[in-house]
């Protein structure tokens, strides 16, 4: 069964550094999402992406964040200048056009900003 | 405001006992309601959605619009049901629907 994959599984970075989190959505899916979960808190929506543009973004998704689909398979989340409070688990998800509301999640990338 | 509330952080029941995980929501409109489950060291996965009206792994959930609730139930708990359960709703004005999650309930089944 096809799955969403994410790399790396863990990343440690210094405050102020740029990080790129990578996701490979399920191949025939057209809708892509990023969520994050700070330790001990709920899973929060960051951004949705469709037709090569952002569909919706949350208040969390400020100018430090960007998303890109650089080729036909990858979907990336870039944090330009990381802050301590960016430490979290970041989940990618994708869904298809037939059942858009059913999102399939990746295993997550645990980001630690020191 | 769109919100999902799960009042219990932890629910511990004995194997074979009934389980009910509570969920209430706030949404202006007609949301899609879901239950997601995360087993230890595994990814978030969809357990069931209200429009399917199906039973998955013995779990059911009924949408009660009057009480704005979507409680998850199982008549006889099994040890393999131990996991983190998230109630969620989908609703968005954009073309791609975001999911709003509750804070989750950790279900622990005692042997």
């Amino acid at each position: 069964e096809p799955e969403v994959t994410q790399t790396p599984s863990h990343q440690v970075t210094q405050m102020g550094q740029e990080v790129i989190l990578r996701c490979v959505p399920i191949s025939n899916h057209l809708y892509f999402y990023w969520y994050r979960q700070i330790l001990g808190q709920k899973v929060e929506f960051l951004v949705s992406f469709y037709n090569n543009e952002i569909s919706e973004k949350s208040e969390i998704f400020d100018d430090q964040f960007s998303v890109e689909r650089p080729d036909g398979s990858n979907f990336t989340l870039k944090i330009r200048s990381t802050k301590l409070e960016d430490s979290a688990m970041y989940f990618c998800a994708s869904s298809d056009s037939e059942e858009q509301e059913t999102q399939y999640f990746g295993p997550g990338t645990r980001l630690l900003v020191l | 405001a769109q919100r999902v509330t799960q009042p219990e952080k932890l629910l511990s029941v004995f194997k074979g006992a009934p389980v009910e995980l509570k969920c209430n929501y706030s949404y202006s409109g007609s949301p899609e309601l879901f239950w997601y489950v995360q087993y230890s060291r595994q990814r978030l996965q969809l357990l069931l959605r209200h429009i399917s009206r199906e039973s998955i792994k013995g779990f059911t959930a009924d949408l009660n619009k009057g009480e704005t609730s979507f409680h998850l139930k199982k008549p006889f708990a099994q040890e393999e049901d131990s996991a983190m359960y998230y109630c969620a709703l989908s609703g968005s004005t954009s073309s791609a629907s975001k999911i709003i999650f509750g804070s989750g309930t950790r279900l622990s089944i005692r042997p």
Side-chain angles (χ1 to χ4, degrees):
Chain A
E1 188 174 328
E3 289 184 330
V4 176
T5 59
Q6 289 185 244
T7 54
S9 58
H10 295 78
Q11 175 137 13
V12 181
T13 189
Q14 295 289 326
M15 191 169 60
Q17 295 296 303
E18 174 184 287
V19 294
I20 297 176
L21 309 183
R22 291 183 166 78
C23 169
V24 179
I26 294 173
S27 63
N28 62 335
H29 285 186
L30 301 177
Y31 299 86
F32 313 114
Y33 312 83
W34 283 101
Y35 294 82
R36 80 169 186 192
Q37 186 176 31
I38 295 171
L39 189 63
Q41 298 185 25
K42 60 174 68 176
V43 178
E44 301 172 290
F45 168 78
L46 291 178
V47 65
S48 58
F49 191 87
Y50 169 69
N51 202 24
N52 282 320
E53 60 183 23
I54 290 175
S55 293
E56 188 173 355
K57 57 185 181 181
S58 70
E59 292 173 354
I60 304 166
F61 195 88
D62 61 22
D63 293 344
Q64 294 298 313
F65 291 88
S66 62
V67 289
E68 196 176 32
R69 188 153 164 82
D71 52 42
S73 59
N74 289 283
F75 179 52
T76 62
L77 174 69
K78 183 194 290 187
I79 309 175
R80 250 179 282 283
S81 176
T82 50
K83 303 188 282 283
L84 296 177
E85 53 265 38
D86 294 327
S87 296
M89 192 76 160
Y90 288 81
F91 295 104
C92 173
S94 69
S95 60
D96 66 24
S97 55
E98 295 294 318
E99 283 196 344
Q100 193 206 117
E101 297 82 10
T102 301
Q103 297 181 17
Y104 295 84
F105 283 78
T109 293
R110 186 170 294 285
L111 176 65
L112 178 60
V113 182
L114 300 176
Chain B
Q2 303 168 9
R3 190 167 53 243
V4 177
T5 303
Q6 293 180 252
E8 303 138 329
K9 279 196 162 180
L10 173 66
L11 184 64
S12 183
V13 302
F14 283 106
K15 178 181 166 183
V19 172
E20 183 178 43
L21 302 174
K22 290 187 168 44
C23 172
N24 288 89
Y25 67 91
S26 171
Y27 185 79
S28 54
S30 296
E32 295 260 8
L33 273 298
F34 305 85
W35 277 97
Y36 278 82
V37 61
Q38 189 171 29
Y39 299 102
S40 179
R41 302 188 200 286
Q42 294 188 29
R43 66 186 65 202
L44 267 168
Q45 53 187 280
L46 180 65
L47 179 63
L48 54 81
R49 51 190 299 193
H50 88 270
I51 63 169
S52 301
R53 295 186 163 274
E54 55 189 347
S55 172
I56 305 292
K57 299 184 179 183
F59 285 98
T60 58
D62 290 319
L63 179 62
N64 185 323
K65 291 186 179 179
E67 295 182 358
T68 59
S69 68
F70 189 57
H71 304 325
L72 182 68
K73 298 177 185 178
K74 183 168 182 176
F76 308 104
Q78 298 169 287
E79 286 186 66
E80 54 264 34
D81 295 330
S82 294
M84 195 74 178
Y85 290 80
Y86 295 95
C87 183
L89 69 80
S90 172
S92 180
T93 54
S94 71
S95 53
S97 299
K98 67 183 180 187
I99 292 180
I100 297 165
F101 287 89
S103 52
T105 298
R106 183 169 298 283
L107 178 64
S108 174
I109 308 301
R110 291 177 280 177

